[in-house]
Each structure stands twice: as structure tokens, then as C-alpha cells.
Amino acid sequence: MNFPATRLRRLRRTEAMRSLVRETHLHPGALIYPLFVCPGEGIRKEISSMPGVFNLSIDEAVKEAEACASLGLGGLLLFGLPSEKDEDASGAWAEDGIVQKALRTLKKNRALDSLVTIADVCLCEYTLHGHCGVVTRDGDHYEIQNDSSVALIAKTAASLAKAGADIVAPSDMMDGRVEAIREALDAGGHEQIPVMSYASKFASAFYGPFREAADSAPQFGDRRSYQMDGANLREAMREIDQDIAEGADMLLMKPAMPYLDVIRAARERYDLPMGAYQVSGEYSMLQAAFQRGWLEPERTMMESLLSIRRAGADFIVTYFAKDAAKVLA
């Protein structure tokens, strides 16, 4: 039946009516807050390109985690800034590595039991060269080795699980890493720990501010030989197929807003729990617009998160998590 008998505006008249018929909902428990943990004590260093986001010593990270728990957030995604780096990324899998120490400290705090602790599994923060794997060089030519990198990545995942991670999340994009991680976890008695794969992680300009936050910028070249080409949606589905076949329990899509079509395609095709990472560049460009008065902060923040949720993400990793939770309270 057409207008005037059908008037779609009838269901938009009041906030109560709009709320009643709203199709997509956000809640704090579906938001994950990233933490960048660094050595030292009493350190809370703001990241210049990411207003309101900090490098935190473990004692300060605990305070941040307590705030997240009180807001009802779903969990934390941990990244580490080691005191030293080397060619083999030994800080990534060391028993006294920065994230391992942070995990053990967080797990001792019963006030944080409501938070799922997710440990990012990658080598870029821990290598001198800033790449996500082992590098071989011949003059000006270099190559990121796949299989030797996978061995270290699996070792890192097992170390993080032993330290107390509830979920390990490989973000390196090496072929075969999910299977290797699953085998390493099971061999170490951590068969109950899920693997959340960054199954389609694109080589993106939107990662720029993160590389300041995690001190992980490549010292030469780029990551396009292992992260995905942003033009390829079908290839993204192949990546996800492969990771599921290798044993991934969950998926994480990255970035979010520039790749909403990929999130939607994955949601329509796969039944696994799936999140999306609203990455640093997405956050920073919105913050820049907020600071200039070009966009209304609260409405824009919530609209950006709703778009990701509407595309099909079950949960969202976002630097807006705390602010959004306050709006949703």
C-alpha cells in the first residue's frame, strides 16, 4: 500500500518509538578496548596522533582496565612495547615479556574478571626492522620469510596463553599461522584457548597512528607482500576459508569503516563469531574533525560504531570503547 495510507514516518515520531523499532543495537559488552603496555612505572604517555590514548606502564594499565570493567566493556586487546628489540623478536615470546607480565598482573585482579583478555600475536613491535616476521636480506633486496616466522608466531601465542590470555589473536598475515598456533596451544595444554584470527587484514594507510602507538613502523619497505591488497574482496574470503580450515574459532576484520563491504560479505558467508577493528586512522581522523568543530563528537562516534555493527560485526575493537560505553549507560 502506498502513500498516503503508508507513512513510514509514523515510526519515527518520538525517541521512544524510534527505540522500539530500532534494528541495530550497541551495548558496552560488545566493545573491546586496546591497551598499549610499556615498561616502567607510573607511565601514562599520550600518543600524539591519537588524542585520549596512552602508552601505559603495567600499573597504569591496571587502572585503565578497572575503568573498562566498571563501564561494562567486553574486553581488552593488549599490545606490548618492549624495552629492547632484536632480529628474532625474542621479546614477543619471552616469559618475562611486557605483555606476559601485564597478563599475569591483570589476571590477579578479581575486579577484572568480567573482561576478556585478548593478546595480539605479532612480531612487528619486537623486531628491529618493524616487520611482522623474520627478514632475510641480499643487498637491497629483502623478503619476509613465511615458515620461520610462523614458528616464532606459534611460540609467541603459546607463551601468551601460558601467561593468562583468554584469546590469542594473530595479526601477522603469514600463511599457515592459525594451524601452527592451534598445534602449539594444544601441545602446551591450552586447548581451551580460542584463536581469533585477523583473517582478512588489509595493507592500509589507516594504520599510521598505530605505528606511533606501538613503535612498530617498518624500517624499510612496506607490508604489502603479506597484508592483503585493499582491492580484493574475493581473496579476503579465501583467506577466511583457509583460517577456518586451520582451526580459527573467531574472526577479526581490519580495518572496519573502509571495508564495510568485506564485513558484510563475511557475515553473510560465515557463522563464526566475528568482530571488526576500528583502527587508529579511523579514530584519529574523527578526533581531528572533532577538535576543529567540524563534526559533533558523540553523534559521529556512535554513528561510526553503528555502521560497523550494522555491517555484521558481533563485537568491535575501538579506541572509542570507553566513551561509547558512557553514552550507552
Side-chain angles (χ1 to χ4, degrees):
M1 191 176 291
N2 296 322
F3 179 84
T6 299
R7 294 178 181 264
L8 296 177
R9 287 183 55 189
R10 288 173 183 147
L11 301 182
R12 304 173 194 160
R13 290 180 53 246
T14 65
E15 174 53 32
M17 185 74 76
R18 292 191 294 272
S19 178
L20 180 67
V21 300
R22 188 162 291 140
E23 300 173 21
T24 304
H25 294 268
L26 291 169
H27 61 94
L31 302 177
I32 307 296
Y33 190 60
L35 287 182
F36 299 97
V37 187
C38 63
E41 188 173 347
I43 296 174
R44 188 178 180 84
K45 178 186 176 185
E46 188 169 31
I47 298 158
S48 64
S49 58
M50 300 177 68
V53 180
F54 301 84
N55 291 143
L56 302 165
S57 54
I58 291 175
D59 56 321
E60 291 294 322
V62 169
K63 296 175 186 176
E64 198 82 345
E66 289 173 342
C68 291
S70 68
L71 289 166
L73 297 187
L76 307 170
L77 177 58
L78 274 63
F79 299 93
L81 287 80
S83 55
E84 296 182 359
K85 304 186 181 197
D86 56 36
E87 292 288 335
D88 296 322
S90 60
W93 41 265
E95 187 170 345
D96 63 347
I98 185 64
V99 175
Q100 285 82 349
K101 290 196 287 189
L103 283 166
R104 286 192 289 269
T105 300
L106 292 169
K107 285 301 178 182
K108 291 176 184 176
N109 190 331
R110 297 275 69 85
L112 306 180
D113 285 352
S114 63
L115 294 172
V116 175
T117 54
I118 307 168
D120 180 81
V121 182
C122 198
L123 307 182
C124 59
E125 300 108 297
Y126 303 92
T127 55
L128 287 168
H129 47 69
H131 279 284
C132 301
V134 176
V135 174
T136 57
R137 307 187 211 191
D138 182 9
D140 292 333
H141 177 75
Y142 71 92
E143 184 174 349
I144 288 76
Q145 295 292 310
N146 193 89
D147 295 4
S148 56
S149 300
V150 164
L152 295 182
I153 288 159
K155 188 174 183 179
T156 297
S159 173
L160 293 165
K162 181 180 178 182
D166 295 312
I167 297 172
V168 293
S171 61
D172 55 281
M173 290 301 289
M174 299 296 139
D175 291 334
R177 87 267 205 217
V178 172
E179 181 177 9
I181 288 171
R182 185 73 270 158
E183 290 175 355
L185 292 175
D186 293 355
H190 301 294
E191 61 278 351
Q192 79 281 12
I193 301 298
V195 177
M196 180 171 73
S197 175
Y198 291 71
S200 72
K201 180 179 177 181
F202 291 89
S204 173
F206 285 88
Y207 301 149
F210 174 92
R211 291 173 182 173
E212 177 195 350
D215 189 25
S216 63
Q219 298 303 300
F220 51 85
D222 56 45
R223 295 174 177 156
R224 296 183 191 185
S225 69
Y226 45 103
Q227 293 180 356
M228 284 191 52
D229 187 329
N232 294 358
L233 188 148
R234 293 194 301 272
E235 185 186 3
M237 301 302 105
R238 292 185 66 196
E239 283 279 3
I240 297 171
D241 284 337
Q242 183 67 31
D243 283 4
I244 293 174
E246 292 178 16
D249 302 283
M250 310 166 71
L251 307 173
L252 187 62
M253 315 295 281
K254 181 180 181 182
M257 285 182 67
Y259 294 89
L260 293 176
D261 61 320
V262 183
I263 296 171
R264 169 48 58 187
R267 179 72 293 154
E268 291 175 350
R269 183 164 172 170
Y270 305 106
D271 293 328
L272 273 67
M274 183 182 73
Y277 195 152
Q278 186 181 47
V279 299
S280 59
E282 299 174 61
Y283 173 84
S284 294
M285 70 179 182
L286 291 178
Q287 286 288 356
F290 299 163
Q291 290 179 1
R292 287 162 177 77
W294 294 342
L295 293 172
E296 183 181 333
E298 183 177 305
R299 285 189 63 193
T300 307
M301 170 183 69
M302 301 307 290
E303 188 174 341
S304 72
L305 295 172
L306 274 170
S307 74
I308 299 166
R309 181 76 179 88
R310 192 179 63 248
D314 298 308
F315 54 92
I316 304 171
V317 179
T318 175
Y319 304 96
F320 286 123
K322 291 190 299 177
D323 292 336
K326 292 173 185 175
V327 174
L328 294 167

